[in-house]
């Protein structure tokens, strides 16, 4: 069986940053890219808030750069999905694509999280052309325009408030007759003049043309339908961490995120480290994921040295 000192699972900013640090520490890491090589950023357009890119950069270009940077120091980046991880043996044993097995002295989990979408065909059609699940990433492109946010939780309220500061008008589409968000968040939303909260509405269809989104059709629980003229449609209906593989193997919180010792990347299993969105329900930024990938590689290096 092939053996590695350090196996990295996932190819977002956390995984690649961990790979850069681990390869420079002579750990010769093997990184499996997973289902979505490059991670969530490859589905966004321009990234303007990652330090060091004064002109901005596309998500795809940034991930290509991170990958090449990791490879430059010897990281072995492979296309493939880790379909099983045995955590009760030493070394750990990972199965790739249900076939090949690889043994690893340490593992860095950076499998990320996925935004939830409504599942409408029209929503998928305009993804990246007005439909986005990240207002912090894409909101700036809709400045002075009218947009809608779907959701009634803290993320939806936070994103609606952020968008209201740069957009002309923000509709908050909430399926229930109340917001689930914390009181403070709700108060902020209600106090913001250019946010209109539309309770008990569900999205029927995202409307658009070849240039992108032009509107959205929504339906009230009473059956009444109406159309909103918007150019940006933001989903804020939650994320789910990609932790299916680790259920019953690593400690997860009630939302399924990997639990780590505060201030470190250490999981409930010694020798397994977690980085990025898979352990972070709050910040979810490329820069925070990259920072946590660095922490995981440093923790991993120290762990291997201590063995
Ligand atoms: P939540 O799960 O809290 O909220 C999701 C929202 O989306 C709910 O209002 C839910 O409606 C709605 N929703 C879900 N599915 C659909 C659907 N198919 N159609 C329409 N609406 C839908 O997710 P968040 O991302 O808001 O928050 C996740 C966690 O992160 C929470 O614990 C939150 O408190 C925390 N957080 C904290 C922040 C802070 O403190 N600054 C900022 C952001 C998040 P319904 O209520 O009907 O289920």
């Amino acid at each position: 069986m092939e053996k590695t000192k350090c196996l990295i699972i996932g190819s977002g900013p956390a995984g690649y940053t961990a790979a850069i640090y681990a390869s420079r520490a002579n750990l010769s890491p093997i990184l499996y890219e997973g289902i979505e090589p490059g991670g969530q950023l490859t589905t966004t357009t321009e990234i303007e808030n990652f330090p060091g890119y004064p002109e901005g950069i596309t998500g795809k270009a940034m991930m290509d750069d991170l990958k090449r940077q990791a490879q430059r120091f010897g990281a072995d980046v492979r296309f493939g999905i880790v379909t099983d991880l045995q955590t009760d043996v030493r070394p750990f044993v990972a199965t790739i694509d249900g076939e090949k097995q690889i043994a690893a002295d340490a593992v860095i989990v950076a499998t990320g999280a996925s935004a939830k979408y409504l599942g409408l065909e029209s929503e998928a059609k305009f993804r990246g052309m007005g439909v986005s699940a990240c207002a912090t990433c894409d909101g700036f492109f809709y400045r002075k325009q009218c947009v809608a946010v779907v959701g009634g939780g803290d993320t939806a309220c936070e994103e609606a408030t952020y968008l209201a500061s740069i957009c002309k008008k923000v509709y908050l589409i909430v399926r229930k007759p109340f917001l689930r968000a914390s009181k403070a968040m709700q108060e902020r939303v209600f106090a913001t003049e250019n946010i209109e909260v539309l309770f008990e509405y569900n999205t029927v269809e995202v409307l658009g043309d070849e240039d992108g989104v032009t509107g959205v059709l929504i339906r009230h629980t009473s059956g009444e339908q109406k159309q909103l003229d918007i150019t940006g449609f933001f989903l804020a209906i939650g994320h789910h961490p990609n932790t299916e593989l680790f259920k019953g193997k690593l400690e997860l919180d009630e939302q399924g995120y990997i639990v780590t010792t505060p201030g470190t990347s250490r999981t409930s299993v010694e020798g397994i480290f977690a980085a990025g969105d898979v352990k972070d329900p709050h910040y979810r930024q490329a820069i925070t994921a990259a920072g946590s990938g660095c922490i995981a590689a440093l923790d991993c290096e120290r762990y291997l040295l201590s063995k």
Side-chain angles (χ1 to χ4, degrees), residues 118 150-156 158 175-176 180 185 202 236-238 255 281-282 284:
L118 297 170
V150 184
D154 280 322
T155 303
E158 199 169 68
R175 67 178 174 183
K176 289 214 173 114
R180 180 202 285 224
M185 286 288 195
N202 276 293
I237 59 172
Q255 296 173 64
H282 296 296
R284 296 197 301 254

Side-chain angles (χ1 to χ4, degrees), residues 9 14 31 36 39 45 75 91 108 116-117 150 154 159 168 178 189-190 232-233 248 250 273 275 281 284 303:
I9 312 176
L31 179 151
E36 188 175 42
T45 44
I108 296 175
K116 292 182 191 161
Y117 285 85
V150 184
D154 280 322
E159 304 219 325
K168 191 165 143 198
F178 55 85
V189 163
F190 293 128
F233 182 74
L250 300 179
F273 305 89
R284 296 197 301 254
Y303 164 77

Side-chain angles (χ1 to χ4, degrees), residues 63-282:
M63 297 321 298
D64 286 347
D65 279 353
L66 280 175
K67 178 175 177 175
R68 283 194 294 114
Q69 193 174 352
Q71 287 172 323
R72 179 180 153 213
F73 297 111
D76 184 348
V77 179
R78 300 178 182 179
F79 186 70
I81 298 166
V82 175
T83 48
D84 186 43
L85 180 68
Q86 290 175 46
T87 55
D88 52 357
V89 290
R90 296 293 182 279
F92 304 109
V93 176
T95 306
I96 315 301
D97 297 325
E99 291 171 0
K100 176 188 158 74
Q101 291 199 312
I102 181 164
D105 292 326
V107 177
I108 296 175
V109 178
T111 47
S114 305
K116 292 182 191 161
Y117 285 85
L118 297 170
L120 301 170
E121 217 173 277
S122 54
E123 172 196 54
K125 184 174 163 194
F126 293 109
R127 214 187 271 191
M129 290 173 66
V131 172
S132 162
C134 181
T136 326
C137 322
D138 299 327
F140 199 62
F141 302 110
Y142 303 94
R143 56 191 180 274
K144 300 197 173 122
Q145 299 174 37
C146 296
V147 299
V149 177
V150 184
D154 280 322
T155 303
C157 289
E158 199 169 68
E159 304 219 325
T161 311
Y162 165 69
L163 289 167
S165 69
I166 51 175
C167 297
K168 191 165 143 198
K169 167 107 189 178
V170 180
Y171 297 99
L172 184 58
I173 304 170
V174 185
R175 67 178 174 183
K176 289 214 173 114
F178 55 85
L179 293 171
R180 180 202 285 224
S182 60
K183 264 270 159 312
M185 286 288 195
Q186 294 193 28
E187 279 165 14
R188 211 170 300 161
V189 163
F190 293 128
T192 307
E193 265 180 22
N194 59 341
I195 299 179
E196 183 177 339
V197 186
L198 298 165
F199 285 113
E200 293 188 81
Y201 276 96
N202 276 293
T203 304
V204 179
E205 198 183 349
V206 181
L207 310 167
D209 56 25
E210 65 278 3
D211 294 327
V213 170
T214 57
V216 62
L217 186 63
I218 56 173
R219 184 189 297 128
H220 191 261
T221 42
S222 64
E224 169 241 346
Q225 292 203 154
K226 68 175 167 185
Q227 188 179 318
L228 307 174
D229 295 330
I230 51 157
T231 48
F233 182 74
F234 292 89
L235 282 312
I237 59 172
H239 283 74
H240 52 87
N242 301 321
T243 50
E244 276 302 309
L245 190 61
F246 310 108
K247 274 188 188 149
K249 297 179 176 177
L250 300 179
E251 186 187 347
L252 307 179
D253 70 12
E254 65 282 356
Q255 296 173 64
Y257 288 88
I258 296 177
V259 174
T260 51
T261 305
T264 78
S265 63
R266 294 199 297 270
T267 69
S268 56
V269 173
E270 195 186 18
I272 301 187
F273 305 89
D277 286 12
V278 75
K279 55 158 277 189
D280 173 16
H282 296 296

